[in-house]
Structure formats: structure tokens, C-alpha cells
Amino acid sequence: MKKYILKPGKHQFAPGSHAVHSNDNLTDEEAAWYLERYPHIAGLFVECAQDNKPEGTEEAENIKPKGKRKRIAAQKQSLNQ
């Protein structure tokens, strides 16, 4: 079973190259090589091996979404009354 599975379609990995990569013509070794040199392409893969994740992805997973903020206009209106 493959470690690296691309999202459907053809993809461009290196800047200035053509979109020629797909699941049919990409091996795990090639995918690991490209991910090491171009970590920004990690989003093109459906699943990435735990050991070979590009740096910084663990930090991004730990970021919690911010809660909904209160509207300032509503606060000002209650102060004016």
C-alpha cells in the first residue's frame, strides 16, 4: 500500500514545472523526495506518513480556532443608554 496518496488530478510540485504528477506515476520514494524539498506541497496529498511530515505541520494542528467575537457596536449602544 502506498504511503503518499495525491488528491485527484495532475499536480505541479516544483515551481516552474508542468503539472505531471498523479497517483499513477508517483512512487513513495519520489513523493518523500519532493516533500523534503518542497514542504508547501503537503496539501496536495490526502494522507502523509507520520514520520515524513514536513516541519511545522504539528504546530498548525495544535492551533485552536478562535471563538466568535462580540460586536463592538452592541457594547457601545448599551453604554450610551
Side-chain angles (χ1 to χ4, degrees):
M1 187 171 164
K2 290 178 79 168
K3 273 186 177 179
Y4 301 97
I5 300 170
L6 281 168
K7 291 181 180 178
K10 294 197 179 251
H11 302 283
Q12 170 190 4
F13 291 164
S17 69
H18 297 287
V20 295
H21 301 287
S22 68
N23 283 319
D24 297 332
N25 64 5
L26 185 68
T27 65
D28 285 339
E29 292 79 22
E30 288 176 316
W33 185 87
Y34 277 110
L35 281 167
E36 184 179 317
R37 282 153 186 81
Y38 306 104
H40 66 279
I41 66 168
L44 300 176
F45 291 88
V46 174
E47 186 176 323
C48 190
Q50 289 286 58
D51 297 338
N52 295 328
K53 277 190 178 179
E55 293 178 18
T57 56
E58 291 176 7
E59 294 173 7
E61 291 173 358
N62 293 332
I63 297 174
K64 295 179 182 177
K66 294 181 179 179
K68 192 172 182 179
R69 299 187 323 183
K70 295 180 182 178
R71 296 189 65 142
I72 295 173
Q75 291 175 351
K76 284 183 180 179
Q77 195 174 36
S78 64
L79 292 175
N80 291 337
Q81 294 177 353

